[in-house]
Protein backbone atom coordinates (compact mmCIF):
# COMPACT_ATOMS: atom_id res chain seq x y z
CA UNK A 1 0.00 0.00 0.00
CA UNK A 2 1.20 3.48 -0.85
CA UNK A 3 -0.21 6.93 -0.06
CA UNK A 4 0.13 9.59 -2.74
CA UNK A 5 -0.32 13.23 -1.76
CA UNK A 6 -1.34 15.28 -4.79
CA UNK A 7 -1.56 19.05 -5.40
CA UNK A 8 -4.44 21.22 -6.61
CA UNK A 9 -6.38 19.63 -9.50
CA UNK A 10 -8.95 22.38 -10.25
CA UNK A 11 -10.86 20.34 -12.78
CA UNK A 12 -7.77 19.17 -14.68
CA UNK A 13 -8.85 15.54 -14.74
CA UNK A 14 -6.66 14.54 -17.70
CA UNK A 15 -3.56 15.56 -15.77
CA UNK A 16 -4.74 13.66 -12.69
CA UNK A 17 -5.37 10.51 -14.71
CA UNK A 18 -1.97 10.61 -16.36
CA UNK A 19 -0.32 11.23 -12.98
CA UNK A 20 -2.11 8.23 -11.48
CA UNK A 21 -0.87 6.15 -14.42
CA UNK A 22 2.63 7.33 -13.81
CA UNK A 23 2.44 6.38 -10.10
CA UNK A 24 0.82 3.06 -11.03
CA UNK A 25 -1.88 3.95 -8.53
CA UNK A 26 -3.95 0.91 -7.57
CA UNK A 27 -7.32 1.97 -6.21
CA UNK A 28 -7.75 -1.40 -4.49
CA UNK A 29 -4.56 -1.02 -2.46
CA UNK A 30 -3.28 2.55 -2.52
CA UNK A 31 -4.61 5.82 -1.17
CA UNK A 32 -4.76 9.37 -2.45
CA UNK A 33 -4.47 12.44 -0.28
CA UNK A 34 -5.69 15.49 -2.15
CA UNK A 35 -4.99 19.04 -0.95
CA UNK A 36 -8.39 20.37 -2.10
CA UNK A 37 -9.54 22.71 -4.87
CA UNK A 38 -10.79 19.75 -6.87
CA UNK A 39 -12.89 22.11 -8.98
CA UNK A 40 -13.05 25.41 -10.85
CA UNK A 41 -11.08 27.16 -13.55
CA UNK A 42 -10.04 23.91 -15.27
CA UNK A 43 -12.02 22.12 -17.99
CA UNK A 44 -13.45 18.99 -16.28
CA UNK A 45 -14.63 19.97 -12.80
CA UNK A 46 -17.77 17.84 -12.86
CA UNK A 47 -15.92 14.68 -13.91
CA UNK A 48 -13.16 15.36 -11.38
CA UNK A 49 -15.70 15.51 -8.57
CA UNK A 50 -17.36 12.30 -9.72
CA UNK A 51 -14.02 10.55 -10.13
CA UNK A 52 -12.74 11.42 -6.64
CA UNK A 53 -16.11 10.69 -5.01
CA UNK A 54 -16.19 7.28 -6.71
CA UNK A 55 -12.79 6.40 -5.25
CA UNK A 56 -14.60 6.14 -1.90
CA UNK A 57 -12.26 5.46 1.03
CA UNK A 58 -9.24 5.30 -1.30
CA UNK A 59 -9.30 9.11 -1.52
CA UNK A 60 -9.01 11.60 1.31
CA UNK A 61 -9.57 15.17 0.21
CA UNK A 62 -9.73 18.34 2.29
CA UNK A 63 -11.75 21.40 1.36
CA UNK A 64 -10.11 24.24 -0.57
CA UNK A 65 -11.36 27.77 -1.18
CA UNK A 66 -12.73 26.84 -4.62
CA UNK A 67 -14.61 23.86 -3.17
CA UNK A 68 -16.23 26.09 -0.53
CA UNK A 69 -16.94 28.67 -3.22
CA UNK A 70 -18.80 26.03 -5.21
CA UNK A 71 -20.95 25.28 -2.16
CA UNK A 72 -21.65 29.01 -1.74
CA UNK A 73 -22.57 29.48 -5.40
CA UNK A 74 -24.81 26.40 -5.30
CA UNK A 75 -26.58 27.98 -2.32
CA UNK A 76 -27.15 31.18 -4.32
CA UNK A 77 -24.38 33.05 -2.49
CA UNK A 78 -21.02 34.47 -3.48
CA UNK A 79 -20.05 36.74 -6.33
CA UNK A 80 -19.51 34.87 -9.57
CA UNK A 81 -16.22 35.52 -11.25
CA UNK A 82 -15.46 35.38 -14.95
CA UNK A 83 -13.13 32.38 -15.02
CA UNK A 84 -15.51 30.09 -13.11
CA UNK A 85 -16.21 26.72 -14.66
CA UNK A 86 -18.82 25.56 -12.18
CA UNK A 87 -21.93 25.65 -14.40
CA UNK A 88 -21.66 22.05 -15.53
CA UNK A 89 -21.72 20.93 -11.88
CA UNK A 90 -24.66 23.17 -11.04
CA UNK A 91 -26.61 21.77 -14.01
CA UNK A 92 -25.69 18.11 -13.45
CA UNK A 93 -28.43 15.58 -12.69
CA UNK A 94 -26.36 14.28 -9.75
CA UNK A 95 -25.45 17.75 -8.41
CA UNK A 96 -27.16 17.26 -5.06
CA UNK A 97 -25.30 14.01 -4.35
CA UNK A 98 -21.99 15.54 -5.40
CA UNK A 99 -22.50 18.69 -3.32
CA UNK A 100 -23.59 16.63 -0.31
CA UNK A 101 -20.46 14.53 -0.66
CA UNK A 102 -18.30 17.65 -0.90
CA UNK A 103 -19.96 19.22 2.13
CA UNK A 104 -18.92 16.19 4.18
CA UNK A 105 -15.19 16.44 3.43
CA UNK A 106 -12.81 17.45 6.21
CA UNK A 107 -11.18 20.85 6.43
CA UNK A 108 -8.01 19.35 7.84
CA UNK A 109 -6.91 15.71 8.03
CA UNK A 110 -4.51 14.44 10.67
CA UNK A 111 -3.01 10.98 10.43
CA UNK A 112 0.29 9.22 11.04
CA UNK A 113 2.41 12.32 11.63
CA UNK A 114 0.98 14.17 8.63
CA UNK A 115 -1.47 17.06 8.57
CA UNK A 116 -3.26 17.66 5.26
CA UNK A 117 -4.79 21.13 4.84
CA UNK A 118 -5.44 23.28 1.76
CA UNK A 119 -3.64 26.53 2.62
CA UNK A 120 -2.15 26.80 6.08
CA UNK A 121 -2.25 26.82 9.86
CA UNK A 122 -1.91 29.81 12.17
CA UNK A 123 1.28 29.82 14.28
CA UNK A 124 -0.60 29.36 17.58
CA UNK A 125 -2.19 26.11 16.47
CA UNK A 126 -0.75 22.66 17.02
CA UNK A 127 -2.00 20.18 14.45
CA UNK A 128 -4.24 18.67 17.15
CA UNK A 129 -5.73 22.12 17.83
CA UNK A 130 -6.21 22.62 14.10
CA UNK A 131 -8.04 19.31 13.83
CA UNK A 132 -10.36 20.29 16.72
CA UNK A 133 -11.06 23.69 15.14
CA UNK A 134 -11.69 22.09 11.76
CA UNK A 135 -14.30 19.89 13.44
CA UNK A 136 -16.19 23.02 14.54
CA UNK A 137 -16.41 24.13 10.91
CA UNK A 138 -17.35 20.65 9.69
CA UNK A 139 -20.19 20.50 12.22
CA UNK A 140 -21.59 23.77 10.85
CA UNK A 141 -21.15 22.71 7.23
CA UNK A 142 -22.75 19.31 7.68
CA UNK A 143 -25.59 20.39 9.94
CA UNK A 144 -28.93 22.13 9.49
CA UNK A 145 -27.32 25.59 9.75
CA UNK A 146 -25.14 25.01 6.67
CA UNK A 147 -26.92 27.74 4.67
CA UNK A 148 -26.47 30.27 7.44
CA UNK A 149 -22.83 29.27 7.85
CA UNK A 150 -22.16 29.78 4.11
CA UNK A 151 -24.00 33.12 4.15
CA UNK A 152 -21.64 34.31 6.89
CA UNK A 153 -18.43 32.90 5.44
CA UNK A 154 -17.54 35.63 2.94
CA UNK A 155 -15.00 38.18 4.14
CA UNK A 156 -11.49 38.48 5.52
CA UNK A 157 -12.10 39.75 9.04
CA UNK A 158 -10.98 39.11 11.69
CA UNK A 159 -7.37 38.63 10.60
CA UNK A 160 -6.15 37.11 13.87
CA UNK A 161 -7.03 34.09 15.90
CA UNK A 162 -8.12 34.32 19.49
CA UNK A 163 -9.45 31.50 21.67
CA UNK A 164 -12.15 33.95 22.75
CA UNK A 165 -13.67 34.27 19.28
CA UNK A 166 -17.19 32.99 18.93
CA UNK A 167 -19.88 32.47 16.35
CA UNK A 168 -19.38 33.09 12.65
CA UNK A 169 -16.21 35.18 13.09
CA UNK A 170 -14.56 32.27 14.87
CA UNK A 171 -15.44 29.88 12.04
CA UNK A 172 -14.44 32.47 9.40
CA UNK A 173 -10.91 32.78 10.82
CA UNK A 174 -10.50 29.01 10.86
CA UNK A 175 -11.71 28.69 7.27
CA UNK A 176 -9.64 31.63 6.00
CA UNK A 177 -6.43 30.30 7.56
CA UNK A 178 -6.98 26.76 6.39
CA UNK A 179 -8.17 27.58 2.86
CA UNK A 180 -6.82 31.02 1.87
CA UNK A 181 -3.75 32.05 3.89
CA UNK A 182 -0.28 32.46 2.34
CA UNK A 183 1.37 35.11 4.52
CA UNK A 184 0.99 36.04 8.16
CA UNK A 185 2.83 38.23 10.67
CA UNK A 186 4.99 36.93 13.51
CA UNK A 187 1.98 37.23 15.77
CA UNK A 188 -0.31 35.45 13.34
CA UNK A 189 -2.17 38.31 11.62
CA UNK A 190 -3.12 37.00 8.19
CA UNK A 191 -2.56 38.85 4.92
CA UNK A 192 -5.23 37.47 2.60
CA UNK A 193 -4.54 39.75 -0.36
CA UNK A 194 -0.95 39.13 -1.44
CA UNK A 195 -0.62 36.33 -3.96
CA UNK A 196 2.98 36.41 -5.18
CA UNK A 197 6.02 34.32 -4.42
CA UNK A 198 7.57 33.94 -0.96
CA UNK A 199 9.82 36.96 -1.65
CA UNK A 200 6.75 39.13 -2.24
CA UNK A 201 5.82 38.97 1.45
CA UNK A 202 4.24 42.20 2.69
CA UNK A 203 6.18 44.20 5.30
CA UNK A 204 6.37 42.37 8.65
CA UNK A 205 4.89 39.21 7.13
CA UNK A 206 6.32 35.81 6.27
CA UNK A 207 5.05 32.74 4.50
CA UNK A 208 2.97 31.24 7.33
CA UNK A 209 5.17 28.12 7.51
CA UNK A 210 8.32 30.22 8.10
CA UNK A 211 7.00 31.92 11.25
CA UNK A 212 9.49 31.01 13.98
CA UNK A 213 8.09 28.78 16.70
CA UNK A 214 4.90 27.85 14.84
CA UNK A 215 3.36 25.06 16.85
CA UNK A 216 2.29 22.80 13.96
CA UNK A 217 5.91 21.90 13.11
CA UNK A 218 5.51 18.75 15.19
CA UNK A 219 3.97 17.06 12.12
CA UNK A 220 4.63 17.19 8.39
CA UNK A 221 2.10 19.67 7.00
CA UNK A 222 0.93 19.01 3.44
CA UNK A 223 -0.56 21.96 1.56
CA UNK A 224 -1.52 23.22 -1.89
CA UNK A 225 -3.16 26.55 -2.83
CA UNK A 226 0.01 28.54 -3.53
CA UNK A 227 1.01 27.99 -7.14
CA UNK A 228 3.39 30.98 -7.19
CA UNK A 229 5.36 29.38 -4.36
CA UNK A 230 5.86 26.30 -6.47
CA UNK A 231 6.75 22.84 -5.30
CA UNK A 232 8.51 22.90 -1.96
CA UNK A 233 9.67 19.74 -0.25
CA UNK A 234 11.07 20.26 3.23
CA UNK A 235 11.48 18.12 6.31
CA UNK A 236 8.23 19.37 7.88
CA UNK A 237 6.42 20.81 4.84
CA UNK A 238 5.19 19.47 1.52
CA UNK A 239 3.82 22.34 -0.61
CA UNK A 240 2.37 20.63 -3.66
CA UNK A 241 0.67 23.22 -5.86
CA UNK A 242 2.98 23.14 -8.86
CA UNK A 243 0.62 25.08 -11.13
CA UNK A 244 -1.23 22.34 -12.98
CA UNK A 245 -4.00 24.66 -14.05
CA UNK A 246 -1.42 27.21 -15.26
CA UNK A 247 0.08 24.64 -17.63
CA UNK A 248 2.99 23.71 -15.36
CA UNK A 249 2.93 20.44 -13.43
CA UNK A 250 0.73 18.23 -11.32
CA UNK A 251 2.79 16.61 -8.57
CA UNK A 252 2.41 13.56 -6.32
CA UNK A 253 4.63 12.68 -3.37
CA UNK A 254 4.55 9.11 -2.08
CA UNK A 255 4.44 9.69 1.66
CA UNK A 256 6.15 6.44 2.63
CA UNK A 257 9.45 7.26 0.85
CA UNK A 258 8.92 10.78 -0.54
CA UNK A 259 9.29 9.57 -4.11
CA UNK A 260 8.21 12.35 -6.46
CA UNK A 261 5.98 11.91 -9.54
CA UNK A 262 5.07 14.69 -11.95
CA UNK A 263 3.23 15.20 -15.18
CA UNK A 264 3.64 18.12 -17.50
CA UNK A 265 0.32 19.92 -17.87
CA UNK A 266 1.38 22.19 -20.73
CA UNK A 267 -0.30 20.14 -23.45
CA UNK A 268 -3.37 18.88 -21.67
CA UNK A 269 -4.40 21.82 -19.53
CA UNK A 270 -2.63 24.97 -20.62
CA UNK A 271 -5.01 27.89 -20.69
CA UNK A 272 -2.55 30.08 -22.58
MN1 LIG B 1 -6.85 27.39 -3.35
Amino acid sequence: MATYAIGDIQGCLDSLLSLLDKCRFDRGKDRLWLVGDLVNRGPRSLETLRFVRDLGPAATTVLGNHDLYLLMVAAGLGRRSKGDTLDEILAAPDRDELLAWLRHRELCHLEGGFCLVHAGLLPQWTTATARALAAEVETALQGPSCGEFLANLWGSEPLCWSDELQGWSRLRVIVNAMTRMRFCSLTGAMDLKTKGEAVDAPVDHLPWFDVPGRRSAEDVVIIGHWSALGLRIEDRLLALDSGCFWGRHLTAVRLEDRALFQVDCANTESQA
Side-chain angles (χ1 to χ4, degrees), residues 6 24-25 42 62 64 73 93 114-115 124 133 135 162 190 193 195 209 215 235 242 251 266 268:
I6 296 183
R24 298 172 175 268
F25 171 73
V62 291
V73 169
F114 293 95
C115 179
Q124 300 93 326
L133 298 177
S162 152
M190 295 183 273
K193 292 186 207 124
K195 287 190 173 175
F209 45 79
R215 298 186 66 200
D235 187 29
S242 44
T251 303
T268 42

Side-chain angles (χ1 to χ4, degrees), residues 35-158:
V35 299
D37 279 357
L38 298 181
V39 299
N40 207 12
R41 306 285 172 77
R44 298 177 71 188
S45 287
L46 173 60
E47 292 161 283
T48 304
L49 263 191
R50 287 178 180 151
F51 177 80
V52 175
R53 192 265 321 261
D54 291 346
L55 287 172
T60 296
T61 185
V62 291
L63 291 163
N65 53 309
H66 284 284
D67 306 314
L68 286 169
Y69 175 67
L70 167 61
L71 294 173
M72 290 173 80
V73 169
L77 303 157
R79 304 158 213 183
R80 302 300 302 271
S81 92
K82 251 194 204 158
D84 288 353
T85 56
L86 300 173
D87 289 341
E88 54 168 0
I89 300 173
L90 300 172
D94 53 345
R95 78 170 242 166
D96 290 346
E97 292 97 299
L98 291 168
L99 295 172
W101 172 82
L102 191 62
R103 206 154 64 82
H104 285 79
R105 295 310 93 200
E106 292 176 298
L107 192 60
C108 163
H109 181 75
L110 194 56
E111 186 183 331
F114 293 95
C115 179
L116 177 70
V117 66
H118 182 63
L121 301 174
L122 284 167
Q124 300 93 326
W125 298 344
T126 64
T127 54
T129 305
R131 184 48 236 148
L133 298 177
E136 296 183 24
V137 172
E138 291 154 14
T139 300
L141 201 52
Q142 295 166 18
S145 58
C146 176
E148 207 186 336
F149 164 72
L150 291 171
N152 283 280
L153 190 52
W154 198 271
S156 298
E157 299 284 334

